[in-house]
Amino acid sequence: MLDLDDVKLDIDKLDNGVWWTIRMEDRQLVGEAVDKPDADAPAVLLVPLGTGYERQLEVEREPHIERLRRRDISDIEQDQLLSTTAGRAVAKKVIRGWQNLSFGGEVVPWSEDAAAKLLAKREWRNVLDFCLFHAAKRQTALAQQEAEAAGN
């Protein structure tokens, strides 16, 4: 008998997100899912990827579809356009907050607008990639982890 309770998802985490601590290791962003980050820990709150992100990505790309299909833009312009649209979609549908992060030495308080502006820039593509990569890890939203943490 296979009890699928071990893969049941926590609806609160699906809707409200999972905290990820962030640190640099060998010049790369790495992180771990945590229930609640320490007050001084750099962290980002990510909602697991779902249809909300996919629909928002379509909305962000829609004004540019013809241009992308015609392929009359350079690789650099296309990369910028894709970063901009993905950054806006992630800011609107994936990131729910962050703490203790600075960009270029400037501490930026969390807001959807701030996230959209920063993640749309190609120079912060590694941050965008970190968010997308970890938001795709749906297993971090397992209900079983909550039960184990509570000692059940």
Side-chain angles (χ1 to χ4, degrees):
M1 174 79 61
L2 175 65
D3 186 354
L4 294 178
D5 218 35
D6 288 343
V7 295
K8 182 172 68 175
L9 298 173
D10 181 325
I11 299 304
D12 183 57
K13 287 181 179 179
L14 287 176
D15 294 341
N16 299 312
V18 175
W19 278 103
W20 288 85
T21 58
I22 303 173
R23 68 181 187 287
M24 290 291 294
E25 239 178 53
D26 298 322
R27 299 188 53 86
Q28 292 186 351
L29 287 175
V30 295
E32 289 88 31
V34 295
D35 286 329
K36 185 176 180 186
D38 293 336
D40 61 345
V44 63
L45 180 60
L46 303 174
V47 172
L49 292 182
T51 56
Y53 168 72
E54 294 298 328
R55 285 193 320 228
Q56 189 64 43
L57 188 58
E58 287 177 13
V59 166
E60 299 296 335
R61 288 186 177 164
E62 197 277 325
H64 312 285
I65 291 295
E66 282 303 313
R67 196 166 170 218
L68 289 167
R69 284 186 184 147
R70 284 194 319 259
R71 300 183 193 265
D72 64 349
I73 60 176
S74 71
D75 290 344
I76 293 171
E77 289 174 305
Q78 184 171 353
D79 190 50
Q80 177 61 56
L81 189 57
L82 295 175
S83 289
T84 299
T85 55
R88 287 181 185 155
V90 165
K92 290 177 181 178
K93 297 296 179 178
V94 176
I95 301 176
R96 292 290 188 258
W98 66 45
Q99 66 179 35
N100 301 313
L101 298 180
S102 65
F103 294 81
E106 177 186 347
V107 175
V108 179
W110 156 253
S111 77
E112 186 179 298
D113 288 341
K117 285 178 189 173
L118 289 163
L119 295 179
K121 296 179 180 179
R122 289 175 64 211
E123 59 263 32
W124 300 118
R125 182 61 192 247
N126 286 341
V127 178
L128 175 60
D129 289 347
F130 175 91
C131 292
L132 286 169
F133 178 77
H134 290 293
K137 295 181 177 180
R138 190 173 302 276
Q139 71 271 20
T140 61
L142 292 176
Q144 185 64 28
Q145 290 176 343
E146 288 294 312
E148 289 171 4
N152 296 330

